[in-house]
Amino acid sequence: MYKHLAYIYFALGYTIYQPTRQPAPALSAFASALMYQFDHLPTLYFTALCSMDVSVPQAIRQFHHYIHTAPTDHRFVPWAHLFLVTLYGWQDPSVHRDRILHHYNMAQQADRNRLSSFPPVPRRLAAAARRLYEQVMAQPDIIVT
């Protein structure tokens, strides 16, 4: 039973988050899951997703951790990159210009490498990230001397 506790806690967190969209109780269950299996990819992804409603800097760290842990063709990698574009845009697009450009381009590349059995990125997420990308591209480069 002990070796299955990570999956049980993940299922609990997912079951709490999906119908209620309340991140705090779900984050507690996901944290417990990560105590038993620190590299469980769905748990890492949903921890980052829930963290968006609690703390933007924490969500950014969580998405970075997920991206560095997951293989590049994992289902949620393009989504995580686009969420990072959105999160950096929430903070200050002009300050995080390079990060927005990097993660948007990485999302495009990851989506091209996506396995055909995985669904594409939701249009709403892709459109929001694209708007931020275009906004950042429209800004002139600032050169500090």
Side-chain angles (χ1 to χ4, degrees):
M1 176 84 166
Y2 180 80
K3 66 180 182 177
H4 301 294
L5 282 175
Y7 299 103
I8 292 168
Y9 278 116
F10 168 74
L12 176 64
Y14 185 82
T15 303
I16 291 169
Y17 185 69
Q18 286 302 314
T20 65
R21 296 290 186 214
Q22 294 181 358
L27 277 170
S28 178
F30 291 141
S32 296
L34 290 172
M35 286 188 336
Y36 292 101
Q37 187 177 352
F38 66 92
D39 60 351
H40 185 246
L41 296 177
T43 305
L44 290 172
Y45 175 78
F46 279 99
T47 301
L49 194 64
C50 289
S51 295
M52 288 176 62
D53 296 330
V54 177
S55 166
V56 170
Q58 181 64 25
I60 289 171
R61 282 191 292 278
Q62 294 289 339
F63 276 119
H64 277 289
H65 180 64
Y66 166 76
I67 287 170
H68 291 295
T69 306
T72 57
D73 60 353
H74 192 262
R75 174 182 182 177
F76 295 121
V77 168
W79 301 33
H81 281 294
L82 292 177
F83 275 123
L84 280 169
V85 169
T86 304
L87 290 168
Y88 283 126
W90 287 355
Q91 289 187 322
D92 188 355
S94 61
V95 171
H96 298 293
R97 181 180 198 279
D98 291 339
R99 293 175 179 156
I100 289 171
L101 297 177
H102 169 74
H103 286 292
Y104 186 81
N105 290 326
M106 292 301 293
Q108 299 301 312
Q109 181 180 350
D111 197 44
R112 282 191 299 274
N113 295 340
R114 175 179 47 87
L115 298 175
S116 60
S117 61
F118 293 148
V121 174
R123 284 187 211 133
R124 191 173 181 186
L125 174 59
R130 181 158 186 83
R131 279 192 302 275
L132 274 166
Y133 173 78
E134 289 171 352
Q135 174 187 347
V136 166
M137 288 301 290
Q139 294 174 352
D141 286 337
I142 298 172
I143 299 173
V144 178
T145 57

